Amino acid sequence: MRCAVITKPLCVEITEAPKPEIEEGQILIKSHTVSICGSDMPYFLNERALQYPLPLGFPGHECIGTIVETRNKALKEGDYVLSIPNGDRGFAEYFVSHPSRTVSIPYLNNKFVIAQPLGTVIHACRKLFQSILPDAEKDKYSLERDKWNLTEKKVVIVGQGSIGLLFTAMMKLMNAETIIGIDLVNYRLDASQKIGATHIINCLESNISDMLYKITDGLMADLAIEAVGKDSTINDCFRLVKRSGVVLAFGVPRKSVYEFDFPDFFNREIKLIGSLGPDIQTEFPIAVELIANDKVDSSILISHILSIDDIQKAFEFVTEHKDNAIKILMNM
């Protein structure tokens, strides 16, 4: 089978490898579409001090495909699925997974790859809603109830890459009053407006604190979502929220120790929340349903659909913001 391997920093190659064999309880999936996640980039850029080459297919984990072999009664051959491969080895023609890491999709379509990152965003939104609206806990998986409504809330999302755009879409879906997208790339800000932002700010062209003060009539944001992964943007979020505001740290950390404006955080009683992985069997199906019903327009995020043979170019496009790249999908 064909698979990709990161052989050294900044270099991905396509190679041939034996089709994997499955053990009891596992499933084998023939990949249809995979995509590059922001969390893949540190491995490509050598920000984790790893030994190269990396394992075959690693770190691909946003994948859809068809089950071609199963040793588990929960799923059957021929099922279309969204699945996180065992060992995150999804940049491959075939990969092994488990039903606990897999959910059904109604049909094969590139757009359902977006349900994986959207599921992680839904997981984060649940945590946010519980912080802003504490009585939401007992209905934590419902997205239809009035208590999940963010009417009158002012939200700022720092970073409008694919994850930031999905947060923007979710804030619109939850009826936030003001949704402010911040980025340093204008084409991403254009996408932000298309997917739900009421206001956009280019942080290279404007002082974001001053602009937010004007937009909110001096009230600042109830909630700031950090979708970049830098200490500078975390500290920006502290300055953008009101006293006792909430900051969600979602961007993938790019180093182990961050400089932290603790006095600002402490003195203004800011609440900081971290979020990473979803409850796959609960939140991925919600994401699939939202995309299937066009409640979240995945086409705004998907900037390129390439072949897996072009994975080197795909990583370069993401790294260098080439060709208006946002979310790059690759077909096998």
Side-chain angles (χ1 to χ4, degrees):
M1 68 169 185
R2 288 182 304 153
C3 64
V5 56
I6 301 179
T7 57
K8 59 184 178 180
L10 305 178
C11 183
V12 191
E13 297 179 3
I14 297 295
T15 187
E16 290 289 329
K19 185 167 69 172
E21 297 182 358
I22 60 173
E23 300 175 355
E24 190 64 32
Q26 295 180 332
I27 55 177
L28 183 67
I29 298 171
K30 180 175 175 56
S31 181
H32 180 272
T33 308
V34 298
S35 62
I36 294 177
C37 173
S39 65
D40 299 336
M41 299 311 296
Y43 301 101
F44 178 71
L45 299 172
N46 194 24
E47 295 178 347
R48 298 284 169 86
L50 299 173
Q51 293 293 318
Y52 292 87
L54 300 184
L56 297 175
F58 183 83
H61 59 276
E62 297 182 354
C63 313
I64 61 170
T66 306
I67 296 175
V68 293
E69 184 180 351
T70 178
R71 297 185 66 181
N72 192 301
K73 295 180 180 179
L75 295 167
K76 64 182 186 297
E77 293 179 10
D79 284 353
Y80 302 134
V81 292
L82 164 71
S83 187
I84 299 179
N86 290 0
D88 290 349
R89 298 178 69 164
F91 291 136
E93 191 174 357
Y94 294 89
F95 62 86
V96 177
S97 190
H98 188 273
S100 64
R101 300 167 65 86
T102 303
V103 299
S104 296
I105 56 176
Y107 50 91
L108 279 181
N109 187 294
N110 290 324
K111 67 181 182 179
F112 287 114
V113 172
I114 303 301
Q116 196 282 339
L118 180 57
T120 67
V121 167
I122 290 170
H123 177 75
C125 287
R126 172 174 63 83
K127 299 178 76 172
L128 289 173
F129 297 151
Q130 291 168 16
S131 298
I132 298 172
L133 306 169
D135 63 342
E137 170 64 25
K138 59 181 175 293
D139 293 307
K140 62 184 179 181
Y141 295 126
S142 170
L143 292 179
E144 304 297 334
R145 300 174 187 266
D146 290 343
K147 66 181 61 180
W148 289 84
N149 199 316
L150 295 182
T151 302
E152 300 182 1
K153 299 297 182 182
K154 298 172 176 59
V155 182
V156 58
I157 301 116
V158 178
Q160 290 294 288
S162 57
I163 286 293
L165 290 171
L166 288 173
F167 272 112
T168 300
M170 287 301 299
M171 293 301 103
K172 179 183 179 182
L173 191 62
M174 302 316 299
N175 299 313
E177 177 183 83
T178 305
I179 306 167
I180 304 135
I182 297 177
D183 204 282
L184 47 73
V185 181
N186 282 326
Y187 72 80
R188 289 180 171 181
L189 292 172
D190 291 340
S192 182
Q193 286 188 306
K194 291 177 183 177
I195 210 165
T198 59
H199 302 77
I200 55 172
I201 303 172
N202 186 314
C203 56
L204 295 181
E205 299 174 358
S206 303
N207 182 293
I208 57 176
S209 295
D210 290 348
M211 289 295 295
L212 197 75
Y213 187 89
K214 293 178 182 178
I215 292 169
T216 63
D217 294 325
L219 298 176
M220 305 306 281
D222 299 285
L223 164 65
I225 299 170
E226 197 282 336
V228 179
K230 296 182 178 180
D231 45 8
S232 60
T233 45
I234 288 285
N235 287 302
D236 283 340
C237 287
F238 292 157
R239 290 187 283 272
L240 297 177
V241 294
K242 66 182 184 181
R243 183 179 180 85
S244 300
V246 177
V247 173
L248 171 74
F250 194 91
V252 177
R254 307 303 280 264
K255 57 184 182 180
S256 59
V257 178
Y258 275 26
E259 293 185 11
F260 187 66
D261 191 349
F262 187 77
D264 188 34
F265 169 79
F266 178 82
N267 292 330
R268 296 199 297 116
E269 300 181 338
I270 295 168
K271 185 169 186 176
L272 177 63
I273 301 171
S275 185
L276 178 61
D279 180 323
I280 292 173
Q281 293 303 315
T282 302
E283 289 150 349
F284 276 15
I286 295 172
V288 169
E289 181 180 357
L290 290 177
I291 290 174
N293 294 332
D294 295 322
K295 294 291 185 67
V296 173
D297 187 355
S298 60
S299 68
I300 296 173
L301 282 74
I302 300 170
S303 57
H304 298 75
I305 301 175
L306 306 177
S307 164
I308 191 66
D309 296 323
D310 295 319
I311 189 169
Q312 175 70 35
K313 179 168 72 173
F315 269 99
E316 290 174 355
F317 277 15
V318 174
T319 301
E320 301 169 20
H321 305 300
K322 285 185 176 179
D323 199 32
N324 292 357
I326 299 178
K327 191 67 171 176
I328 298 182
L329 277 53
M330 293 169 289
N331 289 331
M332 297 301 300

